[in-house]
Amino acid sequence: MRRLGDLEAEIMDRLWTWNRPTTVREVVDDINETRPVAYTTVMTVTNILYTKGWLLREKQRRAWVYTPVRSREAYAAALMEDGLEESKDRPAALVHFVENMSEEEVAALRKALRSVGRQAKA
């Protein structure tokens, strides 16, 4: 999976945070609170995200509204998987990854592994 570009990530961040169908106008207005960006630029990038399969769109009145196809967490997991694929020694890469985790993250990982283990047995 290719990492999202800067503007793609900005757009997706808003859609993930807002968790509701959103128009390009809403995204543009929000980005413009911190920096200038053209409506046509955001419209183009949003359409690219739709074409790439990141977004669904539906016509509401005269505007398209967009919703993410994948969650932020699914995106992060795919990036981690890509990172592991870069290693010739996946177990060693996992060890290095876990060594940098906080105690809370290690506890969450243990819980996730137990959950996945139960699902595999079922």
Side-chain angles (χ1 to χ4, degrees):
M1 167 180 292
R2 186 176 93 22
R3 185 175 200 91
L4 293 171
D6 291 342
L7 186 53
E8 290 175 327
E10 262 190 282
I11 292 167
M12 291 303 297
D13 179 60
R14 282 161 174 81
L15 294 171
W16 283 322
T17 299
W18 295 339
N19 196 29
R20 61 173 170 73
T22 305
T23 65
V24 169
R25 170 55 54 204
E26 291 173 288
V27 174
V28 169
D29 290 347
D30 196 60
I31 293 173
N32 278 327
E33 289 184 16
T34 56
R35 69 178 183 87
V37 64
Y39 178 90
T40 54
T41 302
V42 176
M43 182 177 62
T44 298
V45 174
T46 302
N47 192 55
I48 290 168
L49 287 166
Y50 167 74
T51 303
K52 288 179 177 179
W54 281 97
L55 299 174
L56 296 175
R57 74 178 177 194
E58 180 182 321
K59 194 79 157 177
Q60 282 189 0
R61 298 184 195 102
R62 293 177 24 199
W64 290 107
V65 293
Y66 295 87
T67 53
V69 172
R70 295 174 199 87
S71 68
R72 183 190 313 262
E73 293 73 23
Y75 171 64
L79 289 177
M80 289 188 284
E81 177 63 27
D82 284 352
L84 281 175
E85 287 177 5
E86 291 297 316
S87 175
K88 294 194 186 302
D89 186 351
R90 285 175 70 117
L94 282 168
V95 168
H96 286 291
F97 182 71
V98 172
E99 286 174 342
N100 292 311
M101 296 173 93
S102 69
E103 289 182 31
E104 294 81 19
E105 291 167 332
V106 170
L109 178 59
R110 283 190 178 112
K111 183 178 178 182
L113 289 170
R114 284 191 299 274
S115 175
V116 169
R118 283 192 293 269
Q119 290 174 7
K121 291 177 185 176

